[in-house]
Amino acid sequence: MNKPSLLITRSIYPEVLAKLEKHFQVDYNSTDEVYSKETLIQKLQGKEAAMTTGSERIDEDVLKACPLLKICANIAVGYNNFDVPSMTARKVQATNTPDVLTETTADFGFALMMAAARRMTESEHFLRNGSWNKWSLDMFTGQDVFASTLGILGMGRIGQAIAKRGAHGFGMRVIYHNRSQLSSPLEQACKAQYVSKEELLKTADHLVLVLPYTQQVHHTIGEAELKMMKPTATLTNIARGGIVDDAALVRALRAGHIAAAGLDVFENEPALNPELLTIPNVVLTPHIASGSRKTRLAMAELAADNLVAFFEKGQPLTPVNQI
Ligand code: GLV
């Protein structure tokens, strides 16, 4: 029997590649270059399956030009690179990689929040550039995390995992806002209290964004929202670029409307607003929140398992749409 054809759009782990080669006729992008839309369409010609990352946009143009495509397995929990309504209309299965990255991503979100609050990278740059010549009482004093108020916007699996770290490990009061309120047992497990978005912005000492990106939440944190926050507050974004208006954030950090920010995701990444590089009170990381080796391997394995299950059992493990 002929194996189905699969395009793997980026470099993956050898053990996952070896597994996929047992089930598929594989076209593998070993160079890890990000394909242009034209190259992606060309590479997808005649392919029934694709393993993608957030860097490849699967939209109506791609779907129309690649009519044999049956499934795209994203190596990411987020799937805003997929036009899901178009995929569903064209009966293309979409899958993502939830759960396997929850704790690793929550660890990173917490670390980024702490780094921003305690000015870790700003002070490290000061030390590395040779500026440190004496200890001073008020040098790089930041904001406390322990026993402060943690605000979480987007209380899915990762939001809840961050809430638990704050409530149980750091004695924080946890407040959150979400499309829907959690069940009472889940709220108790996270020791979290549901509040309006306005109260979240006004009350949080440390606000962490963990909501999925959709057009509806584009610039959900903009100038007006940043002005509502405390001047001592920090903002951490491990969700997606575009949720924060980065230009407004630059202005808010400069004006002292908030104390500091931690950003792992950016509008138009990997390009970023150049002004961000000139501001000391922001910690910047290159979209690595789920990046422990173990978790990235688990994500690639889950994406592979989705592909195999789809062709062998007719149903992937973690579908995003019903086709
Ligand atoms: C990373 O951003 C992911 O969505 O998994």
Side-chain angles (χ1 to χ4, degrees), residues 273-295:
N273 184 321
E275 295 293 309
L276 282 169
L277 299 173
T278 69
I279 303 176
N281 48 340
V282 60
V283 181
L284 306 168
T285 52
H287 202 145
I288 56 169
S290 64
S292 71
R293 208 246 175 217
K294 185 172 154 219
T295 290

Side-chain angles (χ1 to χ4, degrees), residues 39-255:
T39 308
L40 180 64
I41 288 175
Q42 186 224 316
K43 287 274 179 188
L44 277 173
Q45 290 310 303
K47 302 285 185 338
E48 291 161 274
M51 183 184 247
T52 53
T53 71
S55 308
E56 292 79 41
R57 185 144 178 77
I58 304 295
D59 59 14
E60 182 59 20
D61 296 340
V62 173
L63 295 165
K64 204 169 157 193
C66 308
L68 296 187
L69 198 59
K70 294 193 175 96
I71 177 169
C72 292
N74 225 23
I75 312 177
V77 66
Y79 48 86
N80 56 308
N81 56 312
F82 288 168
D83 178 343
V84 177
S86 287
M87 291 175 80
T88 308
R90 289 181 176 276
K91 300 208 177 317
V92 176
Q93 180 75 63
T95 67
N96 68 341
T97 60
D99 300 318
V100 291
L101 48 58
T102 300
E103 300 301 339
T104 301
T105 306
D107 277 354
F108 192 87
F110 214 86
L112 195 54
M113 179 261 283
M114 291 194 77
R118 295 300 307 276
R119 306 175 65 180
M120 282 188 178
T121 55
E122 186 185 354
S123 59
E124 189 194 356
H125 289 142
F126 170 86
L127 182 151
R128 279 182 188 267
N129 74 22
S131 301
W132 189 30
N133 53 22
K134 63 177 189 304
W135 184 93
S136 308
L137 193 61
D138 204 28
M139 188 168 63
F140 289 108
T141 51
Q143 309 302 325
D144 274 323
V145 171
F146 186 81
S148 65
T149 297
L150 173 61
I152 300 179
L153 186 59
M155 198 62 152
R157 288 163 284 224
I158 299 169
Q160 291 169 40
I162 292 174
K164 286 178 189 155
R165 281 160 177 73
H168 301 297
F170 287 77
M172 297 172 94
R173 173 182 174 230
V174 180
I175 53 177
Y176 75 98
H177 185 74
N178 196 41
R179 271 174 305 187
S180 50
Q181 187 168 353
L182 296 186
S183 67
S184 164
L186 279 181
E187 281 191 345
Q188 277 164 29
C190 299
K191 288 200 191 171
Q193 184 196 350
Y194 182 83
V195 295
S196 67
K197 184 178 167 195
E198 188 174 334
E199 189 175 343
L200 184 80
L201 291 166
K202 287 184 171 161
T203 316
D205 292 312
H206 303 290
L207 178 61
V208 183
L209 309 179
V210 211
L211 63 168
Y213 180 84
T214 60
Q215 268 305 322
Q216 288 72 45
V217 298
H218 186 73
H219 287 186
T220 207
I221 301 293
E223 187 155 332
E225 290 75 18
L226 290 159
K227 278 192 176 143
M228 281 187 211
M229 293 175 68
K230 297 178 182 178
T232 50
T234 71
L235 173 72
T236 297
N237 186 7
I238 55 163
R240 276 293 181 272
I243 291 175
V244 176
D245 176 345
D246 286 350
L249 178 61
V250 165
R251 292 193 296 275
L253 288 166
R254 283 226 171 92

